[in-house]
Amino acid sequence: MNAQEMAKDIIPPFNLDKDSKRWEQVYKIINGPKPEIIPTPRESVWKKNKSTLWFHPAKEKKYKVPLFFVYSLLNKSYILDIGEGSSVIGGLTDLGYDVYLLDWGSPGYEDSNLSLDNYVLDYLEVAIKRAIRHSRANEISLVGYCLGGTISAILASITELPIKNLVLSTIPVDFSIGIVPAKWLEGLQNGRLNFDQFADVYGVIPPEIMYGMFRGLSPVYISPMVNLITRAYDEDYVEKWRRMDKWTKDSASFSGAAFKQLFNDLYKENKLIKGELMIGGKRVDLNNIKCPLFVLSTSRDTLVLEPQSLPVMELVSSEDKTYQVVEAGHVSLALTGIFAVFADKWLSSRSEEIQPVYS
């Protein structure tokens, strides 16, 4: 078989009519109206400034210990509740858990001084207290995703709240490595690169700039377009793609004070892993975490690399701790809803199953 014959077997013949229709379909999908994201049934149980605490009741409550979800400050939390059939929150309420989700909201210019200290103590810790009172539970399981996992671990190390279990997914802990270009990290660490003036000029980093930063740093914003072109006639895939496309372009703003802390205390000084980070006057020592711990990483993550997450396993004091790597990407773990399956598998035996009462 010569090279020309081999090429025929590998490369499908060009079909002008079929490919024209494919591109017409892609054009319609990209330029059509954005999908409506219908959340899992919920009610607002607490508000502070731009933030809202949502309560999603279990369809049929099976467990006494409710779940409290914390997503990243950098993106909007509805990726965890992206629609029926794909929702992490919906999947867990179907499985019998009461679920609370903290929606940070997007800070306005008047919120430029909101720091990580504020978010950890004045928002997250207070919201968990509210969830515990609302649920009438004695304990709660804290579930953090991405930077929300970092923030959850920080709080868990300094709070007296009754955290029964801690679940951390795709969590950055070691900030000496990651998707930030090596020259950026080197510049931050030696003081040649400083984002303080940038943050001070804006006060609050606009969502357009946050979106542009992440689009430039990760192929997670590029590869979906390639997939859409090849699967434009797969209705199920297209529906998920439209939801993800809406979410990726719907970035949150970011307060200047927290932005400076993120780059100075974490990326530049790597204080969290060194045990030098101070929050509210308290030293953040991950060794103070003693509750059962489940850490989940993804094999195709282009935003938070596995080596950034793994060190947490040695830093905590938990005797009951599990580390798992799953075949997924940083976003697809949430977008497909599959995170609910892995979380339930670990949490179900640690959430006090309600025993049926027989008459």
Side-chain angles (χ1 to χ4, degrees):
M1 181 182 291
N2 59 36
Q4 188 174 10
E5 291 172 331
M6 290 177 64
K8 286 182 180 179
D9 291 337
I10 298 172
I11 305 173
F14 178 70
N15 185 316
L16 179 60
D17 183 59
K18 182 178 180 180
D19 281 284
S20 294
K21 289 180 179 178
R22 180 200 305 276
W23 284 103
E24 287 177 8
Q25 177 75 353
V26 170
Y27 178 83
K28 289 179 183 177
I29 295 168
I30 294 174
N31 292 283
K34 299 298 180 186
E36 181 182 1
I37 307 297
I38 301 174
T40 301
R42 65 185 185 178
E43 63 174 301
S44 169
V45 295
W46 177 83
K47 285 181 178 290
K48 181 179 178 69
N49 197 6
K50 313 298 190 300
S51 299
T52 303
L53 178 61
W54 297 105
F55 170 59
H56 302 262
K59 283 191 175 179
E60 293 184 13
K61 190 171 179 178
K62 185 178 179 182
Y63 300 101
K64 294 180 182 178
V65 182
L67 310 182
F68 190 106
F69 270 80
V70 187
Y71 195 66
S72 174
L73 288 167
L74 300 168
N75 301 99
K76 294 190 176 178
S77 62
Y78 66 81
I79 187 66
L80 297 173
D81 193 20
I82 200 71
E84 188 175 0
S86 300
S87 171
V88 174
I89 303 298
L92 288 165
T93 58
D94 285 347
L95 290 166
Y97 298 91
D98 282 341
V99 180
Y100 294 86
L101 172 63
L102 179 58
D103 179 354
W104 297 108
S106 287
Y109 186 74
E110 65 277 10
D111 302 313
S112 61
N113 290 324
L114 278 178
S115 64
L116 290 180
D117 300 58
N118 296 132
Y119 281 121
V120 171
L121 300 175
D122 301 333
Y123 286 77
L124 179 55
E125 187 172 43
V126 175
I128 293 175
K129 289 179 182 178
R130 179 69 184 96
I132 292 172
R133 288 199 304 272
H134 180 267
S135 67
R136 297 181 181 177
N138 295 322
E139 298 174 296
I140 199 163
S141 292
L142 184 57
V143 186
Y145 202 108
C146 188
L147 186 61
T150 309
I151 293 171
S152 297
I154 289 171
L155 177 66
S157 72
I158 60 176
T159 189
E160 297 297 326
L161 291 177
I163 297 175
K164 169 75 171 176
N165 304 295
L166 180 61
V167 178
L168 306 174
S169 178
T170 64
I171 169 184
V173 173
D174 185 353
F175 286 83
S176 67
I177 51 179
I179 65 167
V180 175
K183 289 294 184 181
W184 283 28
L185 278 175
E186 182 182 337
L188 282 167
Q189 290 162 0
N190 63 28
R192 292 179 182 175
L193 181 61
N194 189 302
F195 284 96
D196 287 7
Q197 187 175 1
F198 170 78
D200 289 338
V201 167
Y202 278 99
V204 168
I205 316 303
E208 297 82 7
I209 291 182
M210 297 301 298
Y211 170 69
M213 289 175 60
F214 279 96
R215 187 183 180 99
L217 288 173
S218 174
V220 73
Y221 294 91
I222 300 171
S223 57
M225 182 59 68
V226 177
N227 293 336
L228 175 65
I229 293 169
T230 59
R231 302 177 65 178
Y233 290 103
D234 183 337
E235 292 184 4
D236 288 340
Y237 178 81
V238 166
E239 180 57 31
K240 288 184 174 66
W241 188 94
R242 291 177 67 238
R243 294 176 192 175
M244 179 178 177
D245 182 62
K246 174 184 173 72
W247 175 78
T248 55
K249 295 174 180 175
D250 189 16
S251 298
S253 52
F254 203 87
S255 75
F259 191 85
K260 288 191 287 187
Q261 278 181 285
L262 180 67
F263 278 97
N264 291 327
D265 289 352
L266 299 182
Y267 278 105
K268 180 182 178 180
E269 303 291 343
N270 206 14
K271 289 183 177 180
L272 178 59
I273 200 169
K274 294 176 180 177
E276 298 173 357
L277 182 66
M278 299 295 293
I279 294 291
K282 297 180 179 179
R283 186 172 70 89
V284 176
D285 184 356
L286 297 180
N287 190 251
N288 292 333
I289 297 175
K290 298 178 174 63
C291 64
L293 172 70
F294 178 41
V295 179
L296 197 65
S297 290
T298 54
S299 61
R300 301 193 304 271
D301 203 324
T302 57
L303 285 173
V304 177
L305 307 179
E306 186 186 349
Q308 287 186 273
S309 303
L310 190 56
V312 73
M313 300 301 291
E314 297 300 323
L315 294 172
V316 302
S317 297
S318 307
E319 293 184 5
D320 177 2
K321 55 185 176 181
T322 303
Y323 184 84
Q324 184 176 358
V325 180
V326 300
E327 187 68 21
H330 184 89
V331 176
S332 66
L333 183 66
L335 182 70
T336 60
I338 196 172
F339 178 49
V341 177
F342 293 104
D344 170 62
K345 187 175 181 180
W346 187 85
L347 283 164
S348 58
S349 62
R350 298 168 174 84
S351 299
E352 298 183 32
E353 186 171 351
I354 298 172
Q355 299 301 318
V357 178
Y358 300 101
S359 57

